[in-house]
Every structure is written in structure tokens, then in C-alpha cells.
Amino acid sequence: MSKISSTSKDSSDGVSKIKNVVTAKRSGYVVVALFVLIIQGIWAVYHYQFESLPVPLTAQQVGKRGFSEEEAMKHVKELTQLGPHPVGSDNLELGLQYVLEVAESIKKTAHWEVDVEVDLFHASSGANLLAGGLFKGKTLVYSDLKHVVVRISPKYVSEAADSAILVSSHIDTVYSAEGAGDCSSCVAVMLELARGISHWAHGFKNSVIFLFNTGEEEGLNGAHSFITQHPWSSTIRMAIDLEAMGIGGTSAIFQAGPHPLAIENFALVAKYPSAQILAQDLFTSGVIKSATDFQVYKEVAGLSGLDFAYADNTAVYHTKNDKLKLLKAGSLQHLGENMLAFLLHTAASSQLSKGQAMAVNEKADSDAAIYFDILGTYMVVFRQRFANILYNSVIMQSIMIWATSLVMGGSPAAISLSLSLLSIILMWIFSLIFSSTIAFILPLISSSPVPFISTPWLILGLFASPAFLGALTGQHIGYLILKSYISRVFSKKMENLSPVVQSNWAKLEAERSLYKSGLLQWLILLIVGHYFKVGSTYLALVWLVSPAFAYGMLEATLSSARAPKALKTITLLFGLSVPFLISGGMFIRLAGTVVGMAVRFDRNPGGSPEWLGSVIVAVYISVVICLTLVYLLSYIHISGATKLIAIASFIVCGLSLTVVISGIIPPFTEDISRAVNVVHVVEASGRNGEHKEPISYISLFSTTPGKLTKEIEHIDEGFVCGRENVIDFVTFSTSYSCWTNSNSVNGWTKNDIPTLNVGIDSKTDERFTEVTIDTKLSTRWTLAINTNKIQDFRLKDAENVEELVQIGTKSGSDGWHIIQYSGGKNGPKRFGLTLYWVKNHTQVTNDDHGLLLKLRTDVDRLTPKVKRVLEKLPSWCSLFGKSTSPYTLAFLNNLRVDF
């Protein structure tokens, strides 16, 4: 609180008399109360926005036309009890048959004026060359894929069949997960939606197509085969993709557009809207390393639409813990009710036309939608053109206000502004240093460099406390420098004031300058975000305008000779209420996502420093604290709570480190596991072609940062760990792994080894080489082609004499182009590859060990040794699958340049 005395002094310039001099002192209790109130408020926002799920409804409660989670959960149970069902497996055939049977039953019970068509579509071979994202430098080849396609349309509106909304998800899973979240939950929602829609569609003007595809986990092949081969694909005007990168919770839109029609319709009718363009910015920038079928619909088919994803508990993604018991009640109801309302509204609309669908990219920049939800209850959507006007207006007014204040204040104002900026810089530097230091320490004191995976709240003590302490320290140093300068200015201009009064005035002016430096920080971000057309720039607008408005209304004065006063508590509360309401929960949600992604952070096991994953989490926490608490920090420096808060932060961090060191809380549990892979490797031509006799061993590696010492001790099968045995799995390499040769000759034969045989080799100026590839057992393989030697290639199915990949421009990555093949049970196993060499190729040198081709074939088979290792695998570990991961048996072969 502020103390007021009745002292009166004449100012040195004689302008006026200053009365009621304010003592620069704020109660420490007020600051602590503010801090607690803000933390509790943010947590309440997060809980309401992301943890409050609707009550699951029964079939009796919703009737024929509604959405019932109870009914949808029956589908999830049927699919998950199959176990993992990857492409080419018997379990996937059973999953397809189940979905087909449910679709046929929906057809039988549909409204008599609704036409339900069910198609079991068998996709032929194809090649998917996506331009960006994870698939740059790759050709994704597929064959023998099956999908269930259901089209629901009004029976007596013939034109509806020519304009369709696509709702899509995938039945297949990775080989390591039963897929309750990814994406049996999505398939179940779609089946229940189809049942409900079949009783509504007689009033539609458009049809709805439900695509239950396979091959998504192997590179979005299911979506590509449907879009390029199915006759109904030409009728689609809008695409909706349902996905999961965790299990359950709120299903949020994380990609929308390019045309804003879909997101605008969703905002109008969604019962529990959940959507954040910040997630879209992160996803499209590549910060989040993932891809969905929506990329195919947008990039290949030129469609607009929406991409939904479940993102609770992202640490279980593609592991054994993507299981039914972790799927939260209300998750399916949340997505189902939102989607049902959206489909009923959009399918009955006449807005979907071929002309609009074809024009979605022409005005993408100006028509792109900016969107976000508030508390999962309200949805805000506005277009980029309006955003441009709004941002330009705020930027120009802000610059004018700052310029006016600098002109009126002269050089002292300019220097004060510079010192305020210095406090911001120091705040960032110290916050990043303090939190990152803990991240660097963790590998030295813990059994895991990411000990917070199973208990995410640990990051509050490990990173948030030091980040806050660092931010406070940095800003306090800036505050002291700024206060010292202002004191010198006052001592010259107001000589008649006592030193005590001058000191108090300097403290209060410094406090106000620090508050306004927060405004300047967000103004800079607004300008940068607006310049680069970043969708989430609206955050900078909210964090600038609301605190600025509160300051202008409650603190600003037109008097040039006023006595400085302490900032009002209501100014902070009023100024931060809207920003925290809009973004507080989202920042916590994103923190959970970042923590969960640490499980699979090391895409090339051992290729990144152990501390890097924790540093990324620490940096994120520091960034959020520096951006959001800059205003609160300015209130602390004149209070008696500075030391108390610093000591409390230090204690909380110390206690968290003690918990980590003691091992009281394990880094991984049975439900939140470490991601590992156990692979029986057979190198068919030895290491880098050095000898022809195959060598075999069992390899154990992890995409989760950290050594495998504890796991190896638990397994006790003679593994040796280190960096000596670098394995090139074609799509990635392991710099750190564990291996054993014991009993590795069992479970495979030389007849299983894939071959690369050179046929014709024309050694002319236009040199080409024909290579026959026989993958023997495998319908899942990866081939790397040396682009420093080969400029183009074509690939054909040697069994069916069908061309799979034609000659054309193909990009490379790190000197290699990757062919990633995935086929069904009846997919071909013999291929013809024609290579077209780079002219003067002999002059090209690179560190490729003289290899022209690198081949890996995967077989979903448990050899005796691998089976024994998996049986002994600790409960806190899980196999991890993705499109580039090998199965439990992998063969490696290569072809040298000098064949």
C-alpha cells in the first residue's frame, strides 16, 4: 500500500507546488496475493477450457438423430481388442471387416428418404510425392490398400451427389499400439456420426462422405489413394480430418483453411468450440514434427477444411499406452456433438459449390481466417484482411503515442526508454540462463535427462521457478539502473526536493517505465508478427491493448507536473484479465504437449545432446514467463516481497531437484513409458559393403533422451551399450544404442535377405542402370538413392509390370532421395528400378562410403531372441512405432557405386 505524507515543496522550475508526496512502498502481501491470484486464475482457465468435458450420453438420451458416446465407445472397444493393426496385418483385415459391417447396418436403418452407399474400395498402386513437411525428399509408394467409404445423401436431391463434404480418419495403427486414441476414437466418432446423419440427410443440399482409410501411418497413403483413384473424390468440396496425437480430452482444430468457410461455419454452431491458430502456426512451421491426411487433401486435392486432433497425454502417442483405459470419459461426446452440429449446418447449406472449391487458393492470404476459442465456450473468427486493418491501426497509434512522449520528454525520455528496453533484455537473458542451467544439470543428477515425463507438474519447480527468478533478477537489475538514471535527472531538475523525495519519485517513475516496457515488448512482437502474417499475432494485440487500455484509463494523466504514484493494483488485474482469459489455458496446454513430445524427441537416437530436450522445455517456460509476467514483475521491485519471492522460488526449485535426485518420482511409469525399439538386424552385405557375409545382432535404442543403462540391467541379455555401433536404418541412424550378438542367428535364413541385382548398365554419356529389387518377405521397405550420383529414376512393379514412379523432378535431403514403400498382404515384392546418372558423376564426392543405394526391409516377426528381450522389457518401456521405424526384424542391404 502507498503511504502519504503532508510534506510540501516548491519545484525548482517554479511551475507548481507538489503536495502529497507518495512514498515508494508497496505491501509485500499485496504482491504475493497478486501472484497467487494470477496463478490460480490461469489454472482455473486451463481446467475449464481443456479439462471440463461433456457428460457422455446414452443411445436412449439422444435418440436416432443424436450422438451417443456410449454407442461410439462400443466401436472403440471392438477395434482396440484386435491389438495393433498395421498395414498388411491380419488384424487390419478384421478391423476393416468390422467397420464394413457397421456401415452396412447403418445403411439398413437409415431414413427412407436418405440414400446410404457403402463401398469397400481396393486401391491399386500409387506414388505420393508431397512437397513439404516430413516428406520432403521422399517418394511414398503404396499398393493393395483397402478403405471403407460411406456416402450419405438425400435420395430426392440429385445434385447433392455432386457436392460432398469429406469426413476422414484412419483405421490402421502403428505396430506398437492398439490405437485407442490414434485413431480408433476417431473411427468410432465417424461411425456414430454416420448413424445420426443417416436420419438427417433428407434435408441436405450436399452429401457427406465418410472415409475410413488405411495406410495413414505409413505416410498418408490412404488419403492419397482415395483422392487420386476413387470416383467420388471429384465431388468433394470440403475435407474434414480427424486425428490424434495423444489420447482423448478435447478434440481441437489445429489446422483450418485455406478458405475460411469451414472454420466460420464451425464457429457458428459448435457446442464446445476448441480451436487455436497458434497450433496451426507451430504445425505448419515444422516445430511439431508430424503430418496428417489433411496435408494430402490440401496439397494434392486443393481442398479447404478442418483438421481436428485429440492432444491429451501426448507422451503415450504411438506406444503401448495408447489404450482404452486412458481414454477420458466425455472425449468422444465432445468431438461428436461439435461435428454433428457442423455437418448438419454445412451439409444443409448452399454455400458449397464447385466454383468456391476451385477458388480456395486464389485469395488465400487476404481471406485466411484468424481463429481461437475462449474457455472452450466461445469462438472468435476474423479474416486476415480485417486483421491487417486492426493491426495497422493499433501499430500506428502506438507509434504515435510513443513518438509524442519522446518528443515531449526530450533526451531523458529517450534514455529512459532505452534503459527500459535494457531491463527487458536482461529479463530474457537471466530467465533463459537460470532455467537452461537446470536443464543442463539434469542429465548429471538424474537417471533420465527428462525426469518430468511421468509427472509434468515437476516443470513448475525445475524450470518455471528458476525462469521466474531469473526474469525477476534481470528486470530488477534493469530497474536499479533505470532508477539511478532517473534520480540523477531529478536531482538536476528539482534541486529543491529532498533526496528522500527524489529517491521515492525515481522508484515510482522506474516502476511505471518497466510496466510500459512490457507494452513495448508486445508492440515489437505485433509488428513482427503482422509483417510475416503470423496467424497467432492476435496474441500480441491482446497482450498490448488490454494492459495499455488499463494503464491509460487508470494511471495516465495530462498533468506534466504531477507527483508520481505507485501503480494501482486494479490496473494490473484489469489489464491482465482478458489476456489470461484468452491465452492462459492455451500456454499450459502447449507446455503439456512440449513435455509429452520429449518422449520421442531424439529422432536419430544418440544424435542430439542428452540435455537438449530439457533445454527446449526450459526455453519454452522462460519465453512464456517473460512474455506474460512482465507486467506483474514491474510491481515487485518497490515492495517488501522481492526477497521473499526470490527465496520461495529458490526453495521450490531446490525441492524439485531433491525429488529428482532421490528418485522418489520415477521419470517413466507403466502408463507413461519410455519409447524404445528392439530390432533384430541382419546386415546382408556387412557394414558399408565391407564384406559379403551377413552379420546379425539385436539392437536396442530409444528416441527418448538418455542412456539405456537401467533398462539393460533389467533385461540382462548380454547387451553392450555405446556409440561404437552406429547403425544406418536408411531413414535415420542410431549414434547411441545397445546391441548383442547372442543367439542372433536364429529366426531368419539367408533366403529372407533382400537382394539388389544390377541388370543393364549403359556406361555412356547418358548413363542409366537397371536394378532388380527383391524384398523377399517384406511388403514394407525403404530405399535411399544417392542424389549426388543419380539425377532421376523410375520404379516399376516387376510382378504386374506396372509403373509406380515416373521420371520427373524429385527433391533430395542430405544427398539422398528416399523411397518409402508400404503394401497390403498381397503387395508385390519384386521391383524394377531404373537409375539415370548425373553427368560427370565421377567428379562428385561426398561422405557416403561409396554407396549408391541403401535398402532396409521390415518384417513383423518376433525372432526367439527378440521375443525373450521383449518379455523382459521393463514395464516403464514401450515399443515406439512410426512410418520410418523398423519392425522387430529388419534386413539391411546396399549397392556400392563401383558395382
Side-chain angles (χ1 to χ4, degrees):
M1 301 293 291
S2 299
K3 297 179 181 179
I4 301 177
S5 67
S6 58
T7 306
S8 174
K9 295 281 183 182
D10 291 335
S11 64
S12 59
D13 57 6
V15 174
S16 62
K17 291 187 176 182
I18 306 299
K19 297 183 178 181
N20 297 329
V21 176
V22 180
T23 302
K25 184 69 175 178
R26 178 177 286 108
S27 171
Y29 295 110
V30 171
V31 173
V32 172
L34 280 172
F35 185 77
V36 172
L37 181 62
I38 288 175
I39 298 301
Q40 290 291 334
I42 295 173
W43 188 255
V45 168
Y46 167 75
H47 182 80
Y48 189 87
Q49 187 171 7
F50 294 106
E51 296 292 327
S52 298
L53 295 171
V55 176
L57 300 178
T58 65
Q60 291 74 24
Q61 289 175 304
V62 302
K64 289 183 178 181
R65 293 181 162 191
F67 184 93
S68 166
E69 177 172 308
E70 182 183 79
E71 293 300 304
M73 283 299 292
K74 294 177 182 178
H75 304 313
V76 180
K77 291 175 183 177
E78 289 291 335
L79 291 171
T80 54
Q81 72 180 9
L82 297 173
H85 36 283
V87 170
S89 67
D90 292 334
N91 286 346
L92 183 57
E93 292 293 326
L94 295 174
L96 277 163
Q97 190 60 40
Y98 173 77
V99 172
L100 182 63
E101 290 174 359
V102 175
E104 291 290 355
S105 69
I106 292 171
K107 180 178 180 179
K108 293 177 182 177
T109 59
H111 190 278
W112 66 275
E113 291 183 284
V114 174
D115 190 14
V116 178
E117 302 167 82
V118 179
D119 180 27
L120 178 60
F121 178 59
H122 190 180
S124 61
S125 300
N128 185 2
L129 287 86
L130 294 172
L134 293 178
F135 305 109
K136 182 180 180 181
K138 290 184 177 181
T139 300
L140 307 170
V141 185
Y142 55 85
S143 65
D144 190 33
L145 298 180
K146 296 176 184 178
H147 320 309
V148 177
V149 192
V150 180
R151 180 164 67 176
I152 302 176
S153 53
K155 189 172 291 185
Y156 302 110
V157 183
S158 57
E159 62 270 20
D162 297 325
S163 178
I165 303 167
L166 176 68
V167 183
S168 170
S169 192
H170 61 95
I171 305 174
D172 63 306
T173 69
V174 293
Y175 80 99
S176 57
E178 65 185 38
D182 187 17
C183 212
S184 295
S185 59
C186 311
V187 170
V189 167
M190 285 172 56
L191 288 171
E192 179 63 2
L193 282 172
R195 183 199 59 77
I197 292 293
S198 69
H199 294 279
W200 281 100
H202 55 284
F204 287 179
K205 296 180 180 178
N206 308 276
S207 58
V208 179
I209 296 175
F210 292 93
L211 170 62
F212 304 88
N213 71 63
T214 64
E216 192 274 348
E217 296 294 5
E218 297 298 334
L220 318 183
N221 295 329
H224 186 272
S225 62
F226 172 79
I227 284 296
T228 57
Q229 298 180 30
H230 199 283
W232 294 349
S233 65
S234 61
T235 68
I236 298 171
R237 304 289 172 253
M238 179 184 292
I240 312 299
D241 182 51
L242 307 184
E243 257 297 351
M245 61 176 295
I247 183 165
T250 57
S251 181
I253 295 171
F254 69 102
Q255 290 191 94
H259 196 282
L261 177 63
I263 190 69
E264 289 174 345
N265 280 355
F266 180 82
L268 285 173
V269 298
K271 190 173 182 180
Y272 313 106
S274 183
Q276 296 292 343
I277 197 171
L278 176 61
Q280 176 174 309
D281 289 340
L282 294 174
F283 194 84
T284 55
S285 68
V287 172
I288 297 177
K289 303 290 185 182
S290 189
T292 72
D293 285 337
F294 192 69
Q295 182 178 353
V296 173
Y297 302 136
K298 187 167 63 171
E299 187 175 316
V300 178
L303 295 168
S304 287
L306 304 173
D307 203 1
F308 290 81
Y310 287 114
D312 258 23
N313 205 350
T314 55
V316 309
Y317 177 71
H318 283 190
T319 69
K320 67 177 183 180
N321 294 314
D322 186 2
K323 54 191 177 184
L324 188 60
K325 81 169 192 175
L326 296 183
L327 185 57
K328 290 182 180 178
S331 301
L332 306 191
Q333 196 70 42
H334 180 272
L335 175 59
E337 290 198 53
N338 281 343
M339 278 297 301
L340 183 60
F342 170 77
L343 290 175
L344 293 179
H345 175 78
T346 309
S349 169
S350 59
Q351 291 177 293
L352 290 181
S353 67
K354 188 172 183 179
Q356 285 179 317
M358 295 299 290
V360 293
N361 290 319
E362 291 180 6
K363 300 185 291 181
D365 289 340
S366 60
D367 274 352
I370 312 298
Y371 58 90
F372 57 92
D373 72 272
I374 301 175
L375 296 178
T377 305
Y378 305 99
M379 187 90 176
V380 177
V381 180
F382 54 94
R383 299 197 180 188
Q384 185 65 52
R385 279 180 293 181
F386 175 75
N388 292 339
I389 296 172
L390 184 61
Y391 297 162
N392 284 332
S393 175
V394 172
I395 290 171
M396 292 304 297
Q397 291 182 59
S398 299
I399 291 175
M400 289 176 60
I401 292 172
W402 280 103
T404 301
S405 66
L406 290 176
V407 170
M408 293 179 62
S411 60
I415 295 174
S416 294
L417 177 62
S418 300
L419 294 177
S420 299
L421 285 174
L422 175 63
S423 72
I424 293 291
I425 295 171
L426 291 173
M427 175 186 69
W428 280 85
I429 290 174
F430 277 83
S431 181
L432 290 169
I433 289 175
F434 281 27
S435 61
S436 297
T437 299
I438 301 299
F440 283 116
I441 291 174
L442 287 178
L444 305 177
I445 63 174
S446 172
S447 60
S448 170
V450 284
F452 44 79
I453 297 296
S454 68
T455 316
W457 61 261
L458 267 177
I459 66 173
L460 295 176
L462 293 176
F463 304 129
S465 290
F468 180 79
L469 180 60
L472 178 60
T473 302
Q475 195 187 71
H476 191 69
I477 293 173
Y479 162 79
L480 294 176
I481 296 173
L482 181 60
K483 185 193 72 172
S484 176
Y485 171 74
I486 295 175
S487 294
R488 291 197 300 271
V489 172
F490 283 168
S491 66
K492 293 179 181 179
K493 289 190 173 182
M494 301 180 179
E495 296 177 354
N496 293 336
L497 292 177
S498 70
V500 173
V501 173
Q502 291 178 6
S503 177
N504 286 335
W505 282 25
K507 291 178 182 178
L508 297 174
E509 282 296 328
E511 179 186 64
R512 288 172 174 265
S513 295
L514 291 181
Y515 183 95
K516 289 186 285 187
S517 70
L519 301 175
L520 191 58
Q521 170 181 261
W522 283 106
L523 175 60
I524 293 171
L525 290 176
L526 177 62
I527 294 171
V528 173
H530 177 43
Y531 179 80
F532 289 103
K533 295 294 184 288
V534 179
S536 49
T537 301
Y538 80 90
L539 289 170
L541 180 76
V542 171
W543 280 91
L544 168 63
V545 171
S546 182
F549 180 76
Y551 184 88
M553 186 174 68
L554 299 172
E555 303 289 350
T557 176
L558 297 176
S559 172
S560 60
R562 62 163 177 79
K565 295 181 180 179
L567 291 172
K568 299 179 180 67
T569 302
I570 189 63
T571 302
L572 186 69
L573 295 175
F574 184 62
L576 297 188
S577 57
V578 172
F580 276 125
L581 193 69
I582 290 176
S583 60
M586 179 183 60
F587 287 139
I588 296 178
R589 176 72 158 191
L590 188 54
T593 302
V594 173
V595 168
M597 290 173 62
V599 168
R600 52 192 181 275
F601 171 77
D602 205 351
R603 302 176 74 86
N604 292 283
S608 302
E610 289 188 346
W611 43 259
L612 187 57
S614 291
V615 166
I616 290 174
V617 177
V619 168
Y620 171 77
I621 297 298
S622 291
V623 168
V624 171
I625 284 176
C626 289
L627 288 176
T628 62
L629 297 187
V630 60
Y631 300 111
L632 172 63
L633 289 171
S634 66
Y635 274 65
I636 297 177
H637 307 293
I638 66 169
S639 73
T642 306
K643 291 183 179 179
L644 175 63
I645 292 175
I647 293 172
S649 300
F650 186 82
I651 291 174
V652 170
C653 181
L655 289 174
S656 299
L657 287 173
T658 302
V659 168
V660 169
I661 294 171
S662 65
I664 296 174
I665 299 177
F668 309 103
T669 65
E670 186 174 352
D671 287 337
I672 303 179
S673 304
R674 179 175 190 176
V676 301
N677 289 86
V678 180
V679 185
H680 194 141
V681 181
V682 179
E683 294 193 13
S685 58
R687 183 59 54 89
N688 297 325
E690 293 165 1
H691 52 81
K692 295 182 178 180
E693 188 65 25
I695 59 174
S696 64
Y697 50 90
I698 313 301
S699 176
L700 175 64
F701 55 88
S702 176
T703 56
T704 307
K707 299 291 191 299
L708 289 161
T709 308
K710 188 176 180 181
E711 289 76 9
I712 293 307
E713 290 176 355
H714 190 279
I715 295 172
D716 191 25
E717 283 289 334
F719 279 91
V720 177
C721 299
R723 296 181 173 272
E724 298 83 12
N725 191 30
V726 177
I727 308 172
D728 185 351
F729 281 105
V730 183
T731 51
F732 68 97
S733 61
T734 60
S735 298
Y736 171 82
S737 64
C738 304
W739 64 92
T740 178
N741 297 317
S742 173
N743 298 324
S744 64
V745 297
N746 299 320
W748 62 277
T749 68
K750 288 188 177 181
N751 292 330
D752 300 334
I753 297 174
T755 59
L756 295 166
N757 295 319
V758 177
I760 299 173
D761 182 34
S762 73
K763 296 186 177 180
T764 62
D765 291 339
E766 302 290 336
R767 183 180 178 182
F768 68 91
T769 302
E770 293 186 356
V771 180
T772 300
I773 304 171
D774 189 343
T775 62
K776 299 297 177 68
L777 303 171
S778 179
T779 57
R780 185 183 192 262
W781 52 267
T782 306
L783 180 74
I785 301 173
N786 189 336
T787 55
N788 291 314
K789 306 289 191 287
I790 304 301
Q791 65 177 355
D792 205 350
F793 64 88
R794 69 168 74 235
L795 180 72
K796 68 178 181 179
D797 173 358
E799 296 177 6
N800 302 307
V801 196
E802 178 185 1
E803 190 168 60
L804 301 176
V805 181
Q806 300 176 350
I807 294 176
T809 303
K810 300 176 182 71
S811 61
S813 179
D814 298 325
W816 298 91
H817 183 90
I818 304 293
I819 300 176
Q820 202 168 299
Y821 175 86
S822 173
K825 296 177 64 176
N826 299 317
K829 298 181 180 68
R830 294 183 68 251
F831 304 86
L833 178 68
T834 304
L835 304 172
Y836 298 92
W837 292 68
V838 174
K839 291 184 179 180
N840 302 320
H841 58 84
T842 55
Q843 299 177 7
V844 180
T845 60
N846 69 318
D847 187 20
D848 54 19
H849 303 287
L851 298 180
L852 183 67
L853 302 175
K854 298 186 295 183
L855 174 66
R856 188 194 82 215
T857 60
D858 301 325
V859 181
D860 193 6
R861 177 200 296 173
L862 293 180
T863 62
K865 182 69 173 182
V866 169
K867 184 177 181 180
R868 188 159 60 251
V869 171
L870 291 178
E871 288 172 349
K872 294 184 175 183
L873 199 66
S875 60
W876 67 81
C877 291
S878 168
L879 293 180
F880 175 72
K882 58 181 179 179
S883 64
T884 56
S885 298
Y887 283 166
T888 49
L889 176 58
F891 295 90
L892 303 178
N893 206 342
N894 54 57
L895 182 67
R896 298 181 66 85
V897 173
D898 57 351
F899 55 81

